[in-house]
Amino acid sequence: MKYKHIFLLTSMLLLCGISLAQQNASADFKPAVTNQPGKQFPQVNGEGRVRASINAPQAMKVLLDIGGKKYDMIKDEKGVWTGESLPQDEGFHYYQLNIDGVPVPDPGSLYFYGAGRWGSGIEIPAADRDFYALKNVPHGLISENIYFSTLTNAWRRCFVYTPAEYNTDTKKRYPVLYLQHGSFEDETGWPTQGKANLILDNLVAEKKAVPMIIVMDNGYANKPTDKADTGNKTRPLSVFEDVMIREIIPMIDAKFRTKANRQNRAIAGLSMGANQTMRIIMNNQDKFSSIGAFSGTANYPAGDVLDPATFLDGKYKDAAAINKQFKLIWLGLGTKEPNPFPASVGAFRAMLDKQGIKYIYYESPGTAHEWLTWRRSLFQYAALLFK
Amino acid sequence: MKYKHIFLLTSMLLLCGISLAQQNASADFKPAVTNQPGKQFPQVNGEGRVRASINAPQAMKVLLDIGGKKYDMIKDEKGVWTGESLPQDEGFHYYQLNIDGVPVPDPGSLYFYGAGRWGSGIEIPAADRDFYALKNVPHGLISENIYFSTLTNAWRRCFVYTPAEYNTDTKKRYPVLYLQHGSFEDETGWPTQGKANLILDNLVAEKKAVPMIIVMDNGYANKPTDKADTGNKTRPLSVFEDVMIREIIPMIDAKFRTKANRQNRAIAGLSMGANQTMRIIMNNQDKFSSIGAFSGTANYPAGDVLDPATFLDGKYKDAAAINKQFKLIWLGLGTKEPNPFPASVGAFRAMLDKQGIKYIYYESPGTAHEWLTWRRSLFQYAALLFK
């Protein structure tokens, strides 16, 4: 009897403890800032757990699909399904619901382009979110710019950020950063979930960055008729480098008050965009003076030791020339990024180190291959540009 | 036996006939222009039927919900559900799928804000679609403009269209049209499904309209603490008129190269926006010289005879003064609009007619209370402005 009582007491305390912990965790669930107007779900709590909820009395099984895991949701007596995820990393994540086996956007969230589709996204407030917060500072504009691309025989679009003062001082000319998204993303990434405009508005307001124009175009640019042989399969041949050099830059220099020279032109990209821009800058050293490679390098996905004599046709061979040529080579990576990113970025850094090529390396604490890594990278990188 | 054979023959011919008709209708189904990149469904055929399809092997019931009707979709042996709607009106429609009782966005479509939510939309190509087509003409920019509104104590956003020449001739100043969306829509309506930019790009390229700036703001503007008593319930008091006059117009005149006077300032809106802008212009005759009311008037939803002595505090009493004061009063309506729109617009027109107030009235053939009516209205109205 004695043992039984102790066991019961322990169980009760344990249950109370769990119950209290659940209540505490539940207590601070709030609608996500990425919700559609007026929508109460999804919600996020202080631990970064996501709670989804949907009215589906006739559904058999509803799941919350986030961060690579599917969580069972539970139906109440009214037919409303609710479920919670484990704590998610700070920052922005794509996610979806799954209703009776069908992945669908959550009707409660705003929609974002990523993972190759328009679908749900959710913001887990980061401790350092102030740097990309909407604050009472002068705000620049983001302009949607439609153009016909002769090289791809298609209409394309870029978003162009102009700093707040651009519209008041109509004589001044500005340096330009060309900023690229990652794979399965598009030109909406940086101006939406990337918060490029707010990051720059805040940096400029605090005089931590030079007012600049930012051009965000689409990294996918193919001549549909041309196929590149990549071993056992062919894929459309990317002409993005040509589009950037021969179409986008001349158009931007004609349409906006730019400082149209290499000293005042920088390039950066994330993941696939880092890989692309690293190739573009080495082939066009007369066009750009600075590069930022966020979570990606041109040797991706390989993590093998790089031979500067052969890598990118030997473009990193002459350290002295590179150190003289470029104002800034900047690399960033999240501490939680999965392979092959740490390995391939590591191999690239090892080559730069061995060659004695100067660069800045930044690690985003506690973030994976996601947008908070890239927001922080832009914040760090933009503050160093054009100075 | 003879009758049986005839019956069989008739049945077979009938079945063949149906089958052929279905094949013909099916033959020209094409992915909608409003689809997400690379998505094959939904599709539209020459009759304006919408065919939706989704892979859902475990679902019990899937419906296509469009134009106020729900259509059963049918599962094939692979678990793919496909269904077709009746022919839809030309133009743009909001729609959704319904999976086991849950209304969700179609993962195949792009998403639009309307009907109070971000969700699926589909374009049924209209015979006259050339006027809003993306063509090889100079294109203006649409800028996203964030501002803090003291009156509502909230961050707000407007989209500002500047004509193509705005960025090349940096001295010239432009007239401004303030253009408002309808109820349960927002500031994304006109620059997205409204195609305001393409309509103006095309008009200007053909020299059918004066190059102008268009400002598209959000018609919802409340002081959350103030409630208006509307009989048996209270609702937030709209301060949109104040926001327009005291915040938006001064901001636009400061930030863009406008011709900042009433002769060069017009206003227009659709449905709720027509109602709002009709009130705004009559209260602020020193600010605007032209008004366009698309599918709405300030007497909405009533269809009763209007007494000019009392309607809007007698602002339509003095026909001679109004005819002198305004350059253009323009009304539009779709021929298929449901009541109360024809009745309320009709009652308003009857009052204008009786008073001898000059106006232009346009009817959009074959369209209801939807975006093709409003695209056509903008096309007609903009061509007459600032001349």
Side-chain angles (χ1 to χ4, degrees):
Chain A
M1 279 296 278
K2 198 178 170 187
Y3 283 108
K4 197 175 174 187
H5 276 136
I6 288 170
F7 174 74
L8 273 175
L9 188 66
T10 313
S11 298
M12 284 172 68
L13 286 174
L14 202 65
L15 283 171
C16 288
I18 288 169
S19 177
L20 278 173
Q22 281 177 338
Q23 279 179 13
N24 288 342
S26 302
D28 71 342
F29 269 104
K30 288 178 190 154
V33 296
T34 34
N35 283 8
Q36 293 191 28
K39 295 292 173 74
Q40 289 304 303
F41 287 91
Q43 301 188 338
V44 180
N45 79 354
E47 298 174 307
R49 290 179 198 267
V50 172
R51 180 184 283 175
S53 184
I54 190 164
N55 184 33
Q58 297 154 52
M60 306 300 290
K61 193 180 175 76
V62 182
L63 305 170
L64 165 63
D65 179 357
I66 187 168
K69 284 188 185 159
K70 292 191 180 76
Y71 300 88
D72 277 310
M73 294 168 68
I74 294 166
K75 185 163 75 164
D76 71 10
E77 68 282 0
K78 290 176 183 164
V80 176
W81 297 72
T82 304
E84 280 171 29
S85 75
L86 288 172
Q88 303 294 304
D89 290 344
E90 295 184 321
F92 178 89
H93 310 287
Y94 303 115
Y95 80 101
Q96 57 195 353
L97 299 183
N98 188 298
I99 298 173
D100 288 346
V102 191
V104 289
D106 182 345
S109 84
L110 292 174
Y111 304 131
F112 304 85
Y113 192 75
R117 96 292 184 249
W118 281 96
S120 293
I122 191 163
E123 188 76 35
I124 311 295
D128 61 346
R129 62 189 177 276
D130 186 68
F131 80 86
Y132 56 84
L134 177 57
K135 290 194 276 193
N136 196 11
V137 299
H139 289 284
L141 299 178
I142 288 183
S143 303
E144 183 194 42
N145 184 49
I146 306 168
Y147 64 99
F148 188 79
S149 157
T150 308
L151 288 166
T152 60
N153 194 34
W155 287 97
R156 294 176 54 90
R157 177 171 73 164
C158 60
F159 289 97
V160 180
Y161 166 83
T162 45
E165 63 174 44
Y166 188 90
N167 278 41
T168 49
D169 182 349
T170 58
K171 299 275 185 203
K172 193 172 165 185
R173 304 186 79 87
Y174 295 86
V176 186
L177 166 62
Y178 291 83
L179 184 61
Q180 289 302 123
H181 61 80
S183 60
F184 300 106
E185 296 179 329
D186 71 8
E187 69 276 17
T188 63
W190 274 113
T192 312
Q193 58 266 44
K195 297 190 180 283
N197 56 328
L198 299 180
I199 292 168
L200 263 289
D201 288 341
N202 291 337
L203 277 172
V204 170
E206 293 184 24
K207 300 193 188 304
K208 289 180 182 165
V210 172
M212 66 185 79
I213 294 168
I214 304 180
V215 178
M216 298 158 278
D217 207 292
N218 191 311
Y220 292 98
N222 301 314
K223 284 201 270 187
T225 51
D226 291 356
K227 302 277 182 184
D229 190 348
T230 57
N232 57 355
K233 58 179 181 177
T234 56
R235 57 176 190 185
L237 185 67
S238 174
V239 288
F240 179 66
E241 180 174 330
D242 269 357
V243 170
M244 170 66 82
I245 299 300
R246 291 163 54 192
E247 296 189 326
I248 302 173
I249 293 176
M251 171 183 67
I252 296 298
D253 283 338
K255 206 174 252 187
F256 293 87
R257 299 195 313 275
T258 64
K259 291 182 176 170
N261 57 54
R262 74 176 295 279
Q263 286 299 100
N264 288 289
R265 204 181 287 124
I267 193 165
L270 72 91
S271 196
M272 177 185 87
N275 189 331
Q276 288 177 311
T277 55
M278 191 170 279
R279 291 166 192 273
I280 289 172
I281 196 172
M282 296 314 284
N283 292 336
N284 299 277
Q285 298 188 22
D286 59 323
K287 296 285 189 301
F288 304 95
S289 54
S290 297
I291 182 169
F294 311 161
S295 305
T297 44
N299 55 319
Y300 174 89
D304 307 326
V305 173
L306 294 175
D307 179 359
T310 56
F311 176 63
L312 282 190
D313 299 327
K315 293 217 166 65
Y316 286 90
K317 217 166 39 179
D318 187 345
I322 288 175
N323 287 337
K324 193 179 166 199
Q325 177 79 326
F326 294 114
K327 290 163 74 176
L328 178 61
I329 297 175
W330 195 100
L331 306 177
L333 193 68
T335 59
K336 290 176 77 174
E337 298 214 25
N339 266 323
F341 298 103
S344 54
V345 172
F348 184 78
R349 290 182 59 209
M351 181 195 68
L352 296 186
D353 290 337
K354 193 174 170 198
Q355 293 295 97
I357 295 172
K358 289 181 208 153
Y359 67 98
I360 289 177
Y361 179 64
Y362 165 77
E363 279 192 349
S364 166
T367 60
H369 201 67
E370 290 195 288
W371 278 98
L372 187 53
T373 302
W374 307 322
R375 290 177 190 162
R376 287 174 176 163
S377 294
L378 176 62
F379 178 75
Q380 299 286 334
Y381 176 63
L384 302 176
L385 284 178
F386 311 122
K387 286 182 173 173
Chain B
M1 279 297 277
K2 198 179 173 186
Y3 284 108
K4 199 177 171 185
H5 276 136
I6 289 171
F7 175 76
L8 271 176
L9 188 66
T10 312
S11 299
M12 282 172 68
L13 286 172
L14 204 66
L15 284 170
C16 286
I18 289 170
S19 179
L20 277 172
Q22 281 178 338
Q23 278 179 16
N24 288 342
S26 303
D28 70 341
F29 269 104
K30 286 177 191 155
V33 294
T34 35
N35 282 7
Q36 293 191 27
K39 295 291 172 77
Q40 288 303 303
F41 287 92
Q43 299 188 341
V44 181
N45 79 354
E47 299 173 305
R49 290 179 199 266
V50 172
R51 180 183 282 175
S53 185
I54 190 163
N55 184 32
Q58 296 153 54
M60 306 299 291
K61 193 180 175 78
V62 182
L63 305 170
L64 165 62
D65 179 357
I66 187 167
K69 283 189 185 158
K70 292 191 180 78
Y71 300 87
D72 277 311
M73 294 168 67
I74 293 166
K75 187 162 77 164
D76 71 10
E77 69 281 1
K78 290 177 182 164
V80 176
W81 296 73
T82 304
E84 280 171 28
S85 75
L86 289 171
Q88 303 294 303
D89 290 344
E90 294 183 322
F92 178 87
H93 310 288
Y94 303 114
Y95 80 101
Q96 56 196 352
L97 298 183
N98 188 298
I99 298 173
D100 288 347
V102 190
V104 290
D106 183 345
S109 84
L110 292 174
Y111 304 131
F112 304 86
Y113 191 75
R117 95 296 183 245
W118 281 96
S120 292
I122 191 163
E123 187 79 33
I124 311 294
D128 62 345
R129 63 188 178 275
D130 186 67
F131 80 86
Y132 56 83
L134 177 58
K135 290 193 277 194
N136 196 11
V137 299
H139 288 284
L141 299 178
I142 287 182
S143 303
E144 182 194 44
N145 182 50
I146 306 168
Y147 65 99
F148 188 79
S149 157
T150 308
L151 289 166
T152 59
N153 194 35
W155 287 97
R156 294 176 53 89
R157 176 172 73 162
C158 59
F159 289 97
V160 180
Y161 167 83
T162 45
E165 62 175 43
Y166 187 91
N167 277 41
T168 48
D169 181 348
T170 59
K171 300 274 185 203
K172 192 173 166 185
R173 305 185 78 86
Y174 294 87
V176 186
L177 166 62
Y178 291 83
L179 185 62
Q180 289 302 121
H181 61 82
S183 61
F184 299 106
E185 295 178 330
D186 71 8
E187 70 276 16
T188 62
W190 274 113
T192 312
Q193 58 266 43
K195 299 191 178 283
N197 56 328
L198 299 181
I199 292 169
L200 263 291
D201 288 341
N202 291 335
L203 277 172
V204 170
E206 294 184 23
K207 299 195 189 303
K208 290 181 180 164
V210 172
M212 66 185 79
I213 293 168
I214 304 180
V215 178
M216 297 157 279
D217 207 290
N218 190 312
Y220 292 99
N222 302 313
K223 285 202 270 188
T225 51
D226 292 354
K227 302 278 182 184
D229 190 347
T230 57
N232 58 355
K233 58 178 181 175
T234 57
R235 60 176 189 186
L237 186 68
S238 174
V239 290
F240 179 66
E241 180 175 330
D242 269 358
V243 170
M244 172 65 82
I245 300 299
R246 292 162 54 191
E247 296 190 326
I248 301 172
I249 292 176
M251 171 184 67
I252 296 298
D253 283 339
K255 207 174 251 188
F256 293 87
R257 298 194 315 276
T258 65
K259 291 181 176 171
N261 56 53
R262 75 176 292 281
Q263 286 300 99
N264 288 288
R265 203 180 286 125
I267 193 165
L270 72 91
S271 195
M272 177 184 87
N275 189 332
Q276 289 177 311
T277 55
M278 191 170 279
R279 292 166 191 273
I280 289 172
I281 196 172
M282 296 313 286
N283 293 336
N284 300 277
Q285 299 187 22
D286 59 323
K287 297 286 190 299
F288 304 94
S289 55
S290 298
I291 182 169
F294 311 161
S295 304
T297 44
N299 56 319
Y300 174 90
D304 307 326
V305 173
L306 294 175
D307 178 359
T310 55
F311 176 62
L312 282 191
D313 300 326
K315 294 217 166 67
Y316 286 89
K317 219 167 36 181
D318 187 345
I322 287 175
N323 287 336
K324 193 179 164 195
Q325 178 80 324
F326 294 114
K327 292 164 73 175
L328 178 61
I329 298 175
W330 195 100
L331 306 177
L333 192 68
T335 60
K336 291 177 76 174
E337 298 215 24
N339 267 321
F341 298 103
S344 54
V345 172
F348 184 78
R349 289 182 59 210
M351 181 195 69
L352 296 185
D353 289 338
K354 194 175 170 196
Q355 293 297 96
I357 295 171
K358 289 181 206 151
Y359 67 98
I360 289 176
Y361 178 64
Y362 165 79
E363 279 191 349
S364 166
T367 60
H369 200 68
E370 291 196 286
W371 277 99
L372 186 53
T373 303
W374 307 321
R375 290 178 191 161
R376 287 174 176 164
S377 294
L378 176 62
F379 177 75
Q380 299 285 334
Y381 177 63
L384 302 175
L385 284 178
F386 311 122
K387 286 182 172 173

